[in-house]
Amino acid sequence: MLGDDAELTAAVRAARDGDETAFRIVYRAVHPRLLGYMRTLVGDHDAEDVASEAWLQIARDLERFDGDADRFRGWAARIARNRALDHIRMRGRRPAVGGDETELTGKPAESDTAGEAMEALATDSALSLIARLPQDQAEAVVLRVVVGLDAKSAAETLGKRPGAVRTAAHRGLKRLAELLGGDPESGGALDALPPQREPRGRAVTSASVTHTRARTQKDM
């Protein structure tokens, strides 16, 4: 879990004021789920590098950020998404997930779907299934379920209306239930996805980010 929002808000504000210990707390709380979002956009091979680039920008620009934990998650997701899109353009590649970008206009059901099915999945398996969704649905599901954004913040990240994001997330979760062979009308909440596991391998460390943050602040 991302931890108590009040504690994360306090850590964000302390990190903004230059507290490197607080920045490491923020990094450990947010990075695993941000990495999951990058895996959805650019695939497993490039996700670590793109997430690292995003954190370097987050560290550099943090002193200009103003807001609580929810706003920070949305702000960080927007930065990461922009880095991912830059990466895709530079490599001449489409995102790992396919499908169209058509704005959805239908209304979601009163309850979210696939909760019980998602609870049965390991995170890696869940992200693999999410990557099979149309892009708008995949991003909506990851931003709301994995990153933990509300519909408004997710909509700001994607440049869409909150209603369209809610609909895309609902349809994405319904499709995931179908892929899992579950009842697509089964009840569940958007927070049913299991927590992201700690990253391994080439992930940038919080220590390297805070070191770079101190260096970039001196250069500003």
Side-chain angles (χ1 to χ4, degrees), residues 153-177:
S153 296
E156 290 174 353
T157 300
L158 298 174
K160 295 187 175 184
R161 297 189 302 272
V165 173
R166 283 192 293 268
T167 299
H170 169 77
R171 292 184 177 179
L173 288 174
K174 182 176 180 179
R175 177 55 181 156
L176 288 175

Side-chain angles (χ1 to χ4, degrees), residues 62-101:
L62 183 58
E63 64 181 14
R64 296 194 290 272
F65 171 78
D66 184 24
D68 59 10
D70 280 337
R71 288 183 63 84
F72 178 81
R73 285 192 286 266
W75 179 70
R78 286 192 294 277
I79 289 175
R81 186 175 193 265
N82 287 337
R83 296 287 69 76
L85 295 179
D86 287 345
H87 178 83
I88 291 164
R89 283 191 290 267
M90 183 176 64
R91 295 293 179 90
R93 290 169 43 193
R94 294 175 60 85
V97 289
D100 58 47
E101 296 277 351

Side-chain angles (χ1 to χ4, degrees), residues 19-200:
D19 186 329
E20 293 190 1
T21 299
F23 187 86
R24 286 193 289 271
I25 292 172
V26 173
Y27 176 88
R28 287 194 296 267
V30 177
H31 174 70
R33 298 189 179 211
L34 204 63
L35 180 62
Y37 184 29
M38 294 302 92
R39 290 174 60 189
T40 304
L41 285 176
V42 301
D44 291 347
H45 181 72
D46 295 327
E48 300 278 8
D49 289 341
V50 175
S52 296
E53 293 172 5
W55 277 106
L56 291 176
Q57 182 177 344
I58 291 167
R60 185 190 67 210
D61 296 346
L62 183 58
E63 64 181 14
R64 296 194 290 272
F65 171 78
D66 184 24
D68 59 10
D70 280 337
R71 288 183 63 84
F72 178 81
R73 285 192 286 266
W75 179 70
R78 286 192 294 277
I79 289 175
R81 186 175 193 265
N82 287 337
R83 296 287 69 76
L85 295 179
D86 287 345
H87 178 83
I88 291 164
R89 283 191 290 267
M90 183 176 64
R91 295 293 179 90
R93 290 169 43 193
R94 294 175 60 85
V97 289
D100 58 47
E101 296 277 351
T102 303
E103 191 80 2
L104 299 175
T105 57
K107 294 182 179 180
E110 293 183 359
S111 63
D112 294 305
T113 60
E116 293 179 1
M118 295 297 282
E119 287 175 353
L121 287 173
T123 300
D124 287 346
S125 298
L127 291 174
S128 177
L129 284 177
I130 289 171
R132 295 168 60 182
L133 299 174
Q135 183 175 337
D136 60 335
Q137 295 179 17
E139 286 201 71
V141 169
V142 172
L143 285 173
R144 297 211 63 197
V145 179
V146 180
V147 181
L149 303 186
D150 59 21
K152 181 179 179 181
S153 296
E156 290 174 353
T157 300
L158 298 174
K160 295 187 175 184
R161 297 189 302 272
V165 173
R166 283 192 293 268
T167 299
H170 169 77
R171 292 184 177 179
L173 288 174
K174 182 176 180 179
R175 177 55 181 156
L176 288 175
E178 293 169 352
L179 290 172
L180 289 165
D183 179 4
E185 298 302 324
S186 63
L190 276 173
D191 62 359
L193 188 72
Q196 177 87 6
R197 286 197 288 270
E198 290 298 319
R200 300 187 299 272

